[in-house]
Amino acid sequence: MAVIGGEIDKNIVRLEYDRGVAWVTLNRPEKRNAMNPAMSLRMLEILDEVEADDRCGVMVLTGEGSAFSAGMDIKEYFRDMKDQPRIVTIKVRRLNYEWQWRRLRYFAKPTIAMVNGWCLGGAFLPVVSCDLAIAAEDAQFGLSEVNWGIIPAGNVSRAVAETMRTRDALYYIMTGELFDGRKAAEMGLVNEAVPRERLRERVRELADVLLARSPEVLKAARDAFKRVRLLDWDLSEDYLISKQEQLWYIAGEEREEAFRQFLDEKSFKPGLGVYKRPRKE
Ligand code: COA
């Protein structure tokens, strides 16, 4: 079986640009967007493309049809692997992890997961790896692994530990019960849940808020928050100061402009919103 290699099916993930946003849509609705090796290959290709494309200031990840994603493809990723040499299994796993968290967690552009429907098992990983997540109120989430005899591996448990409270996490890991978008928001797995008909509009609004801010500052702020959680206070202080001083050079001009608008021109108040960014030709 050609698990990896050969032509990449471009249509398995759709990429569209619209006013600063790259909409990335898992596009295997007939299989509820279950994630298979072909999808991983295409996602890696898309991440490379999007990070280098100026048409993208914010990337949104979502799914076509009734699912965000029904998790890992149980046939292609689990059952078919039984007959493969171990090295193939290892390579296929590496492909998944590469996009689902290694690339996504520290992606060059801010990321929003737009959870439109079923979000099961392995699908938690890209959702948590995105910086922000907005769900439809009636989207259905579940750590269904226990229902069919595996554990939330592939770093799903790590992702869950990052976002959910211990009791909630263990409850859903151990029962495999479904919960909806409202509950996901209440537990902190997603930022908010909105009525389905408002989902795209709300994600667009949020993307516009991010697009109005300096991409360099956002990148430093996102990375810094994620990194310092793993550091002790002394190292964290040093890391943050270094990052801040690095930004002084990278985004110094913009900050000077913000100083000017607040302190001299008095045309903006930092506590109330963002300064008017100078246009870059
Ligand atoms: N892996 C492989 N195939 C999957 C899949 C998965 N994770 N999720 C769905 N599919 C396939 C089904 O086998 C079916 O294929 P078929 O048309 O060839 O029979 C097709 O997608 C549609 O699925 P179906 O179950 O008929 O859709 P539904 O809308 O009635 O139910 C789900 C949706 C998500 C509840 C159900 O498909 C499901 O439980 N999927 C498995 C979810 C899971 O446990 N994932 C964890 C993996 S880590």
Side-chain angles (χ1 to χ4, degrees):
M1 182 182 66
V3 183
I4 349 180
E7 280 286 291
I8 296 180
D9 173 8
K10 302 254 181 215
N11 202 38
I12 200 161
V13 185
R14 256 194 356 255
L15 168 61
E16 289 138 317
Y17 294 98
D18 178 35
R19 292 168 292 140
V21 176
W23 297 88
V24 176
T25 309
L26 306 177
N27 188 29
R28 231 191 143 204
E30 72 290 355
K31 296 285 182 189
R32 305 302 179 260
N33 303 320
M35 296 179 286
N36 62 0
M39 189 180 275
S40 294
L41 285 167
R42 180 64 182 136
M43 272 308 300
L44 286 168
E45 206 179 62
I46 285 182
L47 293 183
D48 279 347
E49 220 171 294
V50 164
E51 92 180 333
D53 198 315
D54 289 342
R55 287 175 295 174
C56 172
V58 172
M59 185 175 83
V60 175
L61 181 64
T62 190
E64 181 63 40
S66 63
F68 173 80
S69 167
M72 299 315 301
D73 188 304
I74 294 174
K75 177 179 181 301
E76 290 188 45
Y77 188 71
F78 292 99
R79 195 166 70 176
D80 292 355
M81 283 299 139
K82 271 196 324 205
D83 309 323
Q84 293 290 330
R86 184 158 161 72
I87 186 64
V88 174
T89 318
I90 289 170
K91 282 186 176 177
V92 167
R93 276 194 201 131
R94 198 159 57 210
L95 273 183
N96 292 327
Y97 305 158
E98 193 61 24
W99 81 265
Q100 291 172 343
W101 69 271
R102 283 212 169 80
R103 293 290 311 280
L104 213 45
R105 267 175 63 72
Y106 291 96
F107 195 60
K109 317 281 174 81
T111 48
I112 305 174
M114 180 169 99
V115 186
N116 53 301
W118 297 111
C119 178
L120 298 168
F124 276 54
L125 199 51
V127 169
V128 171
S129 298
C130 285
D131 301 314
L132 304 171
I134 309 287
E137 285 174 346
D138 61 355
Q140 293 291 318
F141 293 77
L143 290 161
S144 56
E145 286 88 342
V146 72
N147 293 344
W148 55 283
I150 69 161
I151 66 168
N155 256 356
V156 172
S157 290
R158 181 66 185 83
V160 166
E162 185 85 12
T163 40
M164 289 167 73
R165 292 181 297 250
T166 303
R167 292 285 179 215
D168 291 329
L170 279 171
Y171 182 89
Y172 289 106
I173 285 172
M174 292 167 72
T175 63
E177 269 177 30
L178 292 171
F179 53 92
D180 67 12
R182 280 193 203 87
K183 182 80 184 167
E186 191 192 302
M187 292 189 296
L189 180 60
V190 300
N191 293 87
E192 26 178 305
V194 297
R196 172 168 299 274
E197 60 279 11
R198 273 264 299 144
L199 182 61
R200 200 177 164 100
E201 187 187 343
R202 176 62 190 126
V203 169
R204 177 77 238 184
E205 277 169 16
L206 181 56
D208 285 338
V209 169
L210 301 176
L211 287 168
R213 280 146 178 85
S214 156
E216 291 83 11
V217 175
L218 279 180
K219 173 73 176 133
R222 296 153 58 221
D223 286 4
F225 175 74
K226 291 174 189 181
R227 302 261 188 225
V228 298
R229 290 164 69 92
L230 309 172
L231 303 179
D232 67 32
W233 279 63
D234 287 317
L235 284 175
S236 166
E237 182 189 273
D238 196 44
Y239 177 91
L240 290 170
I241 290 293
S242 307
K243 206 72 182 161
Q244 180 81 293
E245 289 184 350
Q246 181 190 49
L247 256 190
W248 205 258
Y249 293 100
I250 298 174
E253 244 175 69
E254 289 220 24
R255 203 181 31 258
E256 286 302 324
E257 178 58 21
F259 289 160
R260 197 186 65 73
Q261 291 176 21
F262 177 50
L263 300 173
D264 305 332
E265 199 175 83
K266 300 192 183 301
S267 58
F268 120 97
K269 294 181 193 290
L272 302 183
V274 67
Y275 64 99
K276 197 158 174 280
R277 292 184 57 218
R279 280 176 70 93
K280 280 197 178 147
E281 297 314 323

